[in-house]
Amino acid sequence: MSAIPHPVDLSAKPEVTAFFDAQTNTVSYVVKDPGSKACAIVDSVMDIDYAAGRIAYASADKIIAYVREHELAVEWLIETHVHADHLSAAPYIQGKLGGKIGIGERITVVQETFGKVFNEGTEFQRDGSQFDRLFADGDSYLIGGLKAFAMHTPGHTPACMTHVVGDAAFVGDTLFMPDGGSARADFPGGDARTLYRSIQRVLALPPQTRLFMCHDYGPNGREIRWETTVAEQHEHNIHVRDGIGEDAFVAMREARDATLAMPRLIIPSLQVNMKAGELPQPDESGKRFLKVPLNTL
């Protein structure tokens, strides 16, 4: 993979509005073209009370209300990767506002892996066809008149993509805020060494590039934050700042990952998100059911 597949236009400054979901510590974004009403929505959240088996849409409805209030036109619903800690609201928002749902083309690897884990059977298509667009490394697209491009940044999952829109980059779970470091790399298909190299690719963007995180957990009790810069990551990131080499990162990441429990919502999240956020089909009575694979994850 080349370092940066397209020149970064730092003069293009998308208007970025963040929506923080406290239940999953997820940050969703509305990314607006400053020259038009066009926008993209990145990493939306569908609410679930897992203990009660109840789905709700309060988080997504906040985004929908914002889009309608500002009379925006949704052109894209971007998933930076198949999330293991929250359910995507992309199809719900698409039904209300339109737009195309896009994810990295390596979703097929995730679908193949977790199609087996959840015993999905032959009726589950593992070709990414549930999504409207599969992004390959270097693919570009438009949000109104604003050019965006996708960079493949695997390691957390095989399908992770960083989306660069003007002077802003949406990194998914490839990076956290500098005092948070980096995301785990021990899910099936994840790899700490691959993650380190992907992070270096992100950090090859211009120093003033704005970086937007998918999650923040407020380390050491600080207030929640989700925006930093490439320069700040180089100087301060506790896992990958300048001077920390690949082998040291891999040793740290693998040791740390060995201590982590599975995310609370990994079982419903993966089942739903690998299908572009679609809930399981109802049975003859109209009820929908999620599966719980035992002794598998």
Side-chain angles (χ1 to χ4, degrees), residues 17-183:
T17 303
F19 297 81
F20 180 70
D21 176 64
Q23 294 299 312
T24 61
N25 289 86
T26 302
V27 192
S28 307
Y29 298 98
V30 174
V31 186
K32 179 185 174 295
D33 170 22
S36 73
K37 290 289 190 179
C39 73
I41 296 171
V42 180
D43 291 335
S44 61
V45 175
M46 177 169 61
D47 307 311
I48 182 171
D49 180 342
Y50 194 26
R54 193 171 303 280
I55 295 294
Y57 298 98
S59 296
D61 286 338
K62 291 177 183 177
I63 296 175
I64 291 168
Y66 177 87
V67 167
R68 287 175 171 165
E69 178 186 355
H70 293 83
E71 300 180 333
L72 305 182
V74 176
E75 297 189 344
W76 292 98
L77 296 151
I78 300 296
E79 299 292 333
T80 55
H81 62 294
V82 175
H83 308 277
D85 43 25
H86 72 269
L87 282 67
S88 169
Y92 173 77
I93 295 174
Q94 185 182 54
K96 302 286 186 181
L97 300 175
K100 295 179 180 179
I101 303 175
I103 199 168
E105 65 177 356
R106 299 281 286 175
I107 178 62
T108 56
V109 176
V110 177
Q111 289 177 328
E112 184 63 33
T113 298
F114 288 101
K116 294 175 181 176
V117 168
F118 293 107
N119 192 29
E120 288 291 341
T122 56
E123 64 272 15
F124 172 47
Q125 298 297 310
R126 295 160 168 83
D127 58 1
S129 57
Q130 301 88 346
F131 297 82
D132 300 311
R133 171 77 182 270
L134 301 183
F135 294 105
D137 183 56
D139 277 356
S140 62
Y141 58 101
L142 292 174
I143 305 170
L146 193 62
K147 184 176 180 180
F149 65 87
M151 297 197 307
H152 188 211
T153 48
H156 175 64
T157 80
C160 287
M161 305 291 282
T162 291
H163 288 260
V164 181
V165 188
D167 75 334
F170 300 85
V171 301
D173 285 5
T174 301
L175 274 170
F176 290 157
M177 293 296 292
D179 59 348
S182 60

Side-chain angles (χ1 to χ4, degrees), residues 184-257:
R184 64 196 300 165
D186 62 331
F187 295 150
D191 180 77
R193 197 167 297 277
T194 301
L195 178 60
Y196 180 87
R197 294 172 183 176
S198 292
I199 290 171
Q200 298 312 307
R201 198 176 194 208
V202 173
L203 297 185
L205 293 166
Q208 59 269 57
T209 304
R210 295 182 288 162
L211 300 182
F212 292 91
M213 312 293 107
C214 184
H215 296 285
D216 188 62
Y217 300 93
N220 300 311
R222 70 150 167 78
E223 65 180 17
I224 298 297
R225 295 180 56 220
W226 47 75
E227 180 180 348
T228 181
T229 65
V230 169
E232 288 172 350
Q233 294 282 14
H234 273 291
E235 187 172 358
H236 297 297
N237 188 286
I238 60 172
H239 293 168
V240 290
R241 65 180 178 272
D242 290 352
I244 297 177
E246 182 174 314
D247 289 343
F249 173 85
V250 170
M252 176 281 302
R253 189 70 266 168
E254 290 180 347
R256 182 175 174 82
D257 288 350

